[in-house]
Amino acid sequence: EPCDIVRECSCAKKRHPTSSVMVANMAYVWSFTSGPDSSMQTDSNHPPEKLLQQPQNFQQNPSATVLAAVQELQKHVTCFWAGDEVVAAQWLTNFQRSEAAWEVSVEVLRPGPLPSCDEELMQEFCAQTLARLSRSFGSQRSASVQHTCVEQLQTLLQAHSMGQRGIWKQLALALTSVRLWTGKWAWPSNGDLELPQEVRAELLSLPAELLFCDRGLPLDESKLRQVAAQALLQGCWTAFEELLRPGSQDAASVRTVASWLRALRKALRWVPLWDATQPIQSLASFGPQLLEKAASLPGDSAEVALQLTRWQQIVCNDDMAIMLDPVLSSIFCSLGPEESQRLLPLMCELSAGIWPRAAAGDIILDWHGLGEAAKEMLRLALKARIEQAPGEEDENEDDDEDGTGGVGADVEATLGVWERFAVTMSEGTQAAAATLLEEDDDPGAPRPEKRSRREAEQNWKPSTEKIAQCENILVLFQMFMQGLLEMLRISSDPLDLEALKLLQRLRASARTSLAAWVKLIRQIPTWEETAFQPLHLAIFSVTSGTEETLDDATWRDVEAALWIGSVLAEEASKHGEGLAAEAALAVWELREPLSQALEPWRTWLLHSATSFAPAMPRERVPNYIEWMLANPPSSSFALEVLELTELPFMQNLRTLCERLPQGSPHIGLCDRLVLLVFVERPPKALHARVVEVKAAVLEAMRFAAGSDHAVLCQGLRQGLLPSLTQAAEQEAAQALADPSNKERPWTAARTLFALLRAALPLPEQQKLSRAAGDGQGTATAASLALWKDCWRYIEAAMTTWPQTESSEEPSKSAVAALVAAASALPGLLPDIVNLLAASVAKYDMPDIEFDALRTIISTVSCPPLDPASCAEVLCAAVASAAEAELRNEEDLTESPSTLAAFFQLLAEAIRPSPLGTAGAGPCAGQLRPRLMARTDLINSSLSVAVQSLQNCTSEAAVIAILRFLGNFVGTDKLAGTPLEQLKGSSLPLTAPVLQALSTLPQLQEMEEGLIAAAELLLRLFLALSSEDASNLLVLASTEAGLAPGSRDQLQRLLSTRSSFQNQTDWLEDFQQVVYQLQREHAKVKH
């Protein structure tokens, strides 16, 4: 960065050992400054203004006035380097803010490089001052002197171009800034080609950085940006010629080419009538030079390829592909294995458009080579993950300097490349662009019609017929499968629990990618042969193998093929494919050989074979259940692996029970399920997921009971319930007698609450109950009676029994049961929400209670429930919970997670109907007005929201607060807040939001927080009249400390939202304003 250049000053290091740090501190201000701040007070003991009474005389007789100023400046610079940071630093800072700083700095630099160390340091400081002032050049220098200032900087850069690097870099920055401000930037400009090559490269790198990045200049007129954008487009050929000179091995020049490609792509938004192919054609003129760079500097050239690939959003044709293809090949061949993950962003971008298009035959590109590269990246990522030392995973996953998330995330991210290819091929390059607040378009606003048509032309989606005829897709799928078979094999040590847990995580990621591929390839008539080929080969290996051939390596391959085949069969069964059932039956025929395999492979083979349960034909389900019950995980070679195998086994068993033939209950099966897990376990069989295992078995019993739910409830009441309630009471007595033990597992209580969830009627049974007329069918009545009998245990878990500190049990399980019961047993809804509200007052951090209430509000169905009655019940519960929490405001604001949960609840409770609709909010739109009528509660919540927003470090809490404030405003004049109430709270609400945008780093990124803030401001502008909205922004900006230029930018952006075709374009401009606000805040703070 230019502000770091001063650290290289050798004179400063010689004079004072810490001088490089001090000068870096002084230089820090350059990148955050938008101009002098007259509100800053000058130190009365060292006022530079007294020496500069008549700055206007500098042009007429500079020597008479400047001499004293230069001498005083030299004294303070020397003192600063000597260590006098308090007084000298303040004086120098005030000097930079003075009106005469420009003229004095020019005079200091006019002689060119000076010999003494003190003079060199002063010149370096003056160069930084000019760079700082140039960032706000347009608003600080009058039009009459701007041309003179440009000539001054050109002369100074010529004079210092052979001197100190730190000086000419700051002058280059200043010159580029003023050229952009005056609309005079072009390449090459007067005298540019006479400068040394290093200086020319600097002048070329700066425009892209200063126009379209987070440090961009605060150009406050769209005309200036249009002129600058057009100048970039006009000068790109000569810029590429300069940057890609033959024989040069300068990595910085290659990175500058990437910056130019990014800036040129954004420049087209400002010049929509420009030929979008012209910049690509200009770069293509230097194809040989680009290939030379790709071979010698593959890592840096990958960024060029990435930016070039992103042009597919604007232009994607054979010309671009022909240029990109050899560059990619050269990069892939030249980049070493240790650097392969640097290609991950590039591969992600290729998989989103160009690669699928090439595979479909629409553009000329080596799609097969890209597939091989993606497969190799998958192998290398897995190798790096396996070789990673134990204990390093968490640390590496936080290391995201290269944008890939560290080694631990590379495998998942590479899988994401394959998944993105499949999704793009299925759904096209771009779905319909979502927009923020689809308000009526302003007929008087200019619309970028040319850009809209251009982007629409680049949207690509292959037809179903084209996909069906594309054999290239199956070739790529084969590559993907080969990579998966290698990646998803069990380690050579079947008792290495850490390796097995890693394998589980990788398989979870691979499952998502495989699902996307099944959706794609099932459109190809011959997909079955390719997809299930590894499974058929595995089956052949088992059926034709001997004791000698079925070695460990073969079993590892067979187990991986079984698992992949089970995922393919499950996904295919969702689309009604008969082949999935055939694959499941083929594995069913292997049950004897698999059951007789030697350990440890028997355990893992059966584990993967049971995963075919979702695809098993219904008529074979009872037989499959019998086979699974005869080979439970407890028969494993090592009980330690139950932590990994038992829960998936029970979940597959539950799936099979759900697919049992409907009719009479399977009482015998229910009894066997109980005996499967509700027995005494040896210590080695106990693991952290035992309760989840029991919950899965209870769910299986729920389905095995068939249509007679009352029989299930009666069986639970007479069988498991007495022993569970007794054990839960014993756990509670022990916990109350020994409160010092804060980490009790609460196994019995958690299992009891899982039983209550299993006792809830199924959705079909709930419909039958509602059809009974009074809502009390047999199934609902039996469940309701069981719940009422056990209500005291839920109430005790919520209000009396002590919680474990780490897991919040047993109340967490009790709350989960209550949430499930709220929709299944509407008659319990008042009791449920009232208990949750009462529980809030019992705990300092009632996060789970807030989350439960929010979930109930978002899932309750009105109808069949009466909207008005339901809204009354929920309104009273939410108000009670919120008021209880607001009485402990200090605890609320000190817990980021609780703050987030609290405002997530309120945001959902007052969620308005989407724009232009009615009755689509909670409780058919009747909950919002009831809560908004409780003005004391709403005002207190608004007060906490705006106070918490200022210094909140939790991203989740910031998003929740902004969502709450946005929903408070509403979506339009009909569904929004009453106008008088909104006017009264708009200023106290808006000013903190603007201040948050100026101070919170998490609001810089294009994520939920930024979008929530943008939506809030847009809703305010939509709800108020133009005059009221303008006045509000002026007052709020003043209170938040925004500079007038930034305020005007924000106002123009908010008022012209309708002129943007899609959300992304507008949000990018909004993001630039946020960057500017935060730069200004950092400047003032510094």
Side-chain angles (χ1 to χ4, degrees):
E1 295 293 343
C3 59
D4 294 328
I5 301 305
V6 292
R7 299 179 185 177
E8 302 176 7
C9 179
S10 58
C11 292
K13 294 177 182 177
K14 291 177 183 178
R15 180 171 292 275
H16 195 280
T18 61
S19 60
S20 62
V21 177
M22 288 188 286
V23 76
N25 291 336
M26 289 300 298
Y28 179 77
V29 299
W30 83 268
S31 63
F32 302 107
T33 304
S34 61
D37 187 348
S38 60
S39 64
M40 298 298 294
Q41 296 298 318
T42 304
D43 189 336
S44 59
N45 295 325
H46 302 271
E49 288 83 354
K50 291 185 177 180
L51 301 172
L52 309 169
Q53 295 293 333
Q54 296 177 325
Q56 64 274 13
N57 293 333
F58 287 177
Q59 296 299 325
Q60 301 172 1
N61 186 15
S63 59
T65 310
V66 172
L67 183 59
V70 170
Q71 292 176 347
E72 188 69 15
L73 177 62
Q74 180 68 78
K75 181 179 71 173
H76 283 87
V77 170
T78 303
C79 291
F80 179 76
W81 297 127
D84 182 7
E85 297 184 47
V86 177
V87 176
Q90 182 61 54
W91 193 96
L92 293 172
T93 301
N94 292 334
F95 167 79
Q96 287 189 322
R97 294 172 177 147
S98 66
E99 295 182 4
W102 182 281
E103 286 79 4
V104 172
S105 298
V106 168
E107 290 302 321
V108 169
L109 291 164
R110 193 185 301 278
L114 296 176
S116 73
C117 185
D118 286 344
E119 291 171 324
E120 179 188 323
L121 292 173
M122 182 169 64
Q123 286 193 330
E124 195 156 5
F125 172 76
C126 288
Q128 293 168 4
T129 300
L130 291 176
R132 172 190 185 274
L133 296 175
S134 297
R135 284 193 57 80
S136 55
F137 184 78
S139 58
Q140 300 299 330
R141 312 297 293 180
S142 63
S144 60
V145 300
Q146 286 182 357
H147 178 70
T148 301
C149 292
V150 174
E151 291 182 341
Q152 288 174 337
L153 290 174
Q154 289 174 342
T155 302
L156 294 178
L157 183 59
Q158 287 279 358
H160 289 270
S161 60
M162 303 296 291
Q164 289 295 323
R165 188 170 185 268
I167 295 177
W168 63 253
K169 282 183 75 73
Q170 295 294 325
L171 291 174
L173 172 64
L175 178 58
T176 305
S177 297
V178 299
R179 282 175 173 174
L180 291 171
W181 270 110
T182 56
K184 302 296 184 182
W185 188 91
W187 181 261
S189 295
N190 294 335
D192 286 347
L193 296 180
E194 301 173 6
L195 296 169
Q197 194 278 328
E198 188 178 18
V199 181
R200 296 201 306 271
E202 182 72 13
L203 288 172
L204 272 174
S205 69
L206 287 169
E209 297 177 6
L210 293 174
L211 278 175
F212 304 114
C213 74
D214 59 345
R215 293 181 180 272
L217 288 178
L219 300 179
D220 55 3
E221 292 184 16
S222 59
K223 183 179 178 181
L224 287 176
R225 289 191 177 275
Q226 290 172 347
V227 170
Q230 185 167 340
L232 252 66
L233 292 165
Q234 290 173 334
C236 65
W237 193 94
T238 52
F240 291 147
E241 180 185 34
E242 177 73 23
L243 294 168
L244 295 173
R245 291 179 299 104
S248 171
Q249 300 300 318
D250 184 9
S253 295
V254 177
R255 291 192 292 270
T256 301
V257 171
S259 297
W260 264 75
L261 284 171
R262 179 179 181 274
L264 289 168
R265 177 166 49 85
K266 292 179 176 291
L268 287 173
R269 289 176 45 212
W270 292 91
V271 193
L273 297 179
W274 196 271
D275 180 9
T277 64
Q278 180 258 330
I280 301 300
Q281 292 170 352
S282 298
L283 182 62
S285 302
F286 305 97
Q289 294 92 317
L290 190 59
L291 283 177
E292 178 188 347
K293 304 293 185 184
S296 58
L297 299 167
D300 298 298
S301 298
E303 179 63 23
V304 175
L306 172 63
Q307 295 301 331
L308 187 57
T309 302
R310 286 178 176 163
W311 276 75
Q312 66 187 347
Q313 304 165 12
I314 301 173
V315 55
C316 186
N317 52 30
D318 283 337
D319 291 339
M320 189 179 81
I322 291 172
M323 178 177 62
L324 184 61
D325 196 18
V327 173
L328 292 174
S329 300
S330 183
I331 291 172
F332 292 149
C333 293
S334 304
L335 203 64
E338 67 281 356
E339 295 184 292
S340 63
Q341 291 308 306
R342 294 183 65 179
L343 298 176
L344 192 53
L346 172 59
M347 291 301 299
C348 287
E349 200 68 34
L350 288 167
S351 65
I354 290 181
W355 185 16
R357 288 187 180 198
D362 287 352
I363 59 175
I364 302 173
L365 193 75
D366 184 11
W367 57 268
H368 191 278
L370 290 176
E372 292 289 354
K375 177 183 171 183
E376 179 66 10
M377 287 176 61
L378 194 60
R379 186 189 68 81
L380 293 173
L382 178 64
K383 179 182 178 183
R385 183 62 188 88
I386 292 174
E387 293 175 352
Q388 182 175 310
E392 291 182 359
E393 180 180 354
D394 293 339
E395 178 181 349
N396 287 345
E397 287 188 355
D398 291 336
D399 181 13
D400 195 21
E401 292 182 359
D402 60 355
T404 61
V407 176
D410 281 346
V411 181
E412 289 82 356
T414 309
L415 284 169
V417 170
W418 287 96
E419 179 182 347
R420 195 172 188 183
F421 174 94
V423 171
T424 303
M425 186 67 80
S426 297
E427 302 177 6
T429 55
Q430 182 179 357
T435 58
L436 280 176
L437 297 180
E438 298 289 346
E439 64 268 24
D440 294 335
D441 292 337
D442 178 4
R447 301 189 62 84
E449 299 291 350
K450 175 71 175 181
R451 187 179 77 236
S452 303
R453 289 196 299 271
R454 176 194 299 157
E455 293 174 350
E457 290 169 359
Q458 297 309 315
N459 291 344
W460 172 85
K461 182 178 180 180
S463 64
T464 303
E465 293 76 14
K466 188 162 193 170
I467 292 177
Q469 299 172 8
C470 186
E471 294 293 329
N472 296 342
I473 297 175
L474 293 181
V475 174
L476 289 170
F477 182 67
Q478 278 186 314
M479 292 184 188
F480 182 42
M481 290 283 284
Q482 291 168 4
L484 288 183
L485 286 168
E486 179 180 350
M487 182 182 77
L488 300 180
R489 291 185 298 177
I490 291 178
S491 67
S492 55
D493 181 3
L495 278 178
D496 186 349
L497 289 181
E498 291 302 317
L500 292 170
K501 289 178 181 178
L502 170 63
L503 180 64
Q504 275 196 337
R505 293 198 297 272
L506 295 180
R507 287 185 172 182
S509 299
R511 179 181 291 275
T512 305
S513 300
L514 283 170
W517 273 94
V518 170
K519 181 180 178 181
L520 169 64
I521 63 174
R522 61 180 292 270
Q523 304 176 63
I524 304 175
T526 60
W527 79 276
E528 302 98 330
E529 181 180 349
T530 301
F532 289 100
Q533 183 182 23
L535 177 63
H536 295 319
L537 291 176
I539 293 174
F540 179 78
S541 298
V542 174
T543 55
S544 63
T546 63
E547 189 174 333
E548 290 76 18
T549 59
L550 293 174
D551 54 9
D552 288 356
T554 302
W555 285 125
R556 290 177 69 199
D557 293 339
V558 169
E559 191 279 334
L562 284 173
W563 184 87
I564 293 175
S566 71
V567 175
L568 295 175
E570 180 181 354
E571 293 300 324
S573 66
K574 295 177 182 178
H575 302 285
E577 300 288 344
L579 188 65
E582 294 179 14
L585 288 173
V587 175
W588 163 254
E589 298 298 331
L590 282 182
R591 61 190 183 281
E592 292 301 326
L594 297 181
S595 300
Q596 295 172 7
L598 298 177
E599 294 288 11
W601 299 113
R602 176 183 176 276
T603 294
W604 299 115
L605 291 168
L606 294 179
H607 175 67
S608 293
T610 57
S611 299
F612 282 86
M616 185 60 59
R618 285 186 180 274
E619 62 272 14
R620 292 295 185 94
V621 165
N623 306 101
Y624 210 79
I625 291 176
E626 287 293 332
W627 177 62
M628 290 182 66
L629 292 175
N631 296 276
S634 56
S635 62
S636 170
F637 70 101
L639 294 178
E640 291 85 353
V641 301
L642 281 178
E643 180 182 357
L644 304 176
T645 61
E646 192 172 23
L647 181 58
F649 178 92
M650 297 305 174
Q651 289 172 335
N652 287 324
L653 197 57
R654 173 202 175 280
T655 301
L656 286 171
C657 290
E658 187 177 1
R659 303 181 70 243
L660 279 168
Q662 298 297 313
S664 59
H666 303 269
I667 302 300
L669 176 57
C670 291
D671 293 339
R672 295 178 65 185
L673 290 173
V674 170
L675 295 175
L676 193 61
V677 294
F678 289 94
V679 293
E680 194 69 26
R681 288 170 171 256
K684 287 187 177 180
L686 295 173
H687 54 83
R689 311 189 77 177
V690 167
V691 175
E692 295 177 69
V693 170
K694 293 180 177 180
V697 171
L698 288 167
E699 285 290 317
M701 293 172 59
R702 184 186 187 192
F703 291 106
S707 59
D708 197 344
H709 192 72
V711 173
L712 172 65
C713 293
Q714 182 180 358
L716 293 175
R717 184 189 295 275
Q718 296 175 354
L720 291 175
L721 190 59
S723 59
L724 281 177
T725 54
Q726 183 180 0
E729 290 172 354
Q730 291 175 354
E731 284 182 339
Q734 293 171 0
L736 293 170
D738 182 18
S740 61
N741 186 352
K742 302 293 186 181
E743 295 299 327
R744 295 183 181 275
W746 289 98
T747 304
R750 292 163 60 197
T751 307
L752 172 61
F753 301 141
L755 181 146
L756 290 175
R757 294 184 66 178
L760 295 171
L762 295 170
E764 295 79 7
Q765 296 164 344
Q766 296 173 35
K767 292 179 182 178
L768 293 175
S769 295
R770 289 195 293 268
D774 60 352
Q776 293 294 321
T778 305
T780 300
S783 296
L784 193 58
L786 185 63
W787 267 77
K788 287 183 176 179
D789 289 345
C790 296
W791 186 258
R792 65 182 185 275
Y793 298 107
I794 293 182
E795 195 171 27
M798 298 282 292
T799 59
T800 306
W801 295 348
Q803 289 188 15
T804 57
E805 291 185 348
S806 59
S807 63
E808 298 182 275
E809 295 291 359
S811 61
K812 184 176 181 180
S813 295
V815 167
L818 290 173
V819 171
S823 58
L825 299 175
L828 277 180
L829 181 62
D831 295 329
I832 290 171
V833 295
N834 290 336
L835 177 57
L836 288 169
S839 178
V840 168
K842 300 292 183 180
Y843 302 105
D844 294 334
M845 294 185 292
D847 302 16
I848 57 175
E849 286 81 1
F850 288 144
D851 290 339
L853 285 170
R854 174 174 54 84
T855 303
I856 292 172
I857 291 172
S858 63
T859 57
V860 68
S861 298
C862 297
L865 295 178
D866 177 61
S869 301
C870 188
E872 286 292 344
V873 169
L874 291 175
C875 179
V878 171
S880 175
E883 288 166 355
E885 189 63 19
L886 289 171
R887 286 194 289 269
N888 300 308
E889 182 178 330
E890 184 175 351
D891 292 336
L892 172 62
T893 55
E894 289 180 355
S895 171
S897 63
T898 306
L899 194 66
F902 177 78
F903 282 108
Q904 285 168 356
L905 167 61
L906 292 183
E908 178 62 24
I910 63 171
R911 174 169 55 87
S913 299
L915 187 66
T917 65
C923 300
Q926 296 198 33
L927 179 57
R928 172 183 167 83
R930 284 171 169 78
L931 277 171
M932 294 294 290
R934 296 177 179 252
T935 54
D936 290 342
L937 171 63
I938 295 297
N939 290 337
S940 298
S941 301
L942 288 172
S943 175
V944 173
V946 297
Q947 291 175 19
S948 303
L949 193 59
Q950 306 310 308
N951 301 307
C952 188
T953 58
S954 166
E955 183 175 2
V958 170
I959 294 171
I961 291 172
L962 291 171
R963 291 291 186 204
F964 164 68
L965 297 177
N967 288 349
F968 166 77
V969 175
T971 52
D972 58 23
K973 294 179 174 62
L974 295 178
T977 302
L979 189 58
E980 293 304 318
Q981 183 182 3
L982 182 60
K983 285 184 177 181
S985 57
S986 57
L987 180 58
L989 181 154
T990 308
V993 171
L994 295 180
Q995 190 170 353
L997 288 171
S998 302
T999 58
L1000 299 181
Q1002 57 265 42
L1003 294 181
Q1004 289 187 6
E1005 301 303 322
M1006 188 73 74
E1007 294 178 353
E1008 286 186 66
L1010 181 74
I1011 295 173
E1015 191 169 57
L1016 165 61
L1017 295 176
L1018 283 171
R1019 286 181 174 181
L1020 276 170
F1021 262 63
L1022 182 63
L1024 300 173
S1025 66
S1026 299
E1027 182 180 357
D1028 288 340
S1030 178
N1031 293 336
L1032 169 65
L1033 193 59
V1034 171
L1035 295 174
S1037 299
T1038 303
E1039 187 172 324
L1042 269 62
S1046 297
R1047 178 201 65 208
D1048 294 342
Q1049 282 184 283
L1050 181 60
Q1051 182 170 353
R1052 278 194 295 271
L1053 190 62
L1054 291 170
S1055 60
T1056 59
R1057 167 65 184 92
S1058 60
S1059 66
F1060 287 78
Q1061 183 70 10
N1062 58 57
Q1063 174 183 358
T1064 303
D1065 287 349
W1066 187 87
L1067 280 175
E1068 284 184 353
D1069 285 4
F1070 183 77
Q1071 186 182 32
Q1072 292 297 322
V1073 174
V1074 174
Y1075 281 136
Q1076 177 63 19
L1077 294 177
Q1078 298 209 4
R1079 282 196 301 268
E1080 293 169 352
H1081 173 77
K1083 172 204 67 173
V1084 174
K1085 183 178 179 181
H1086 180 77

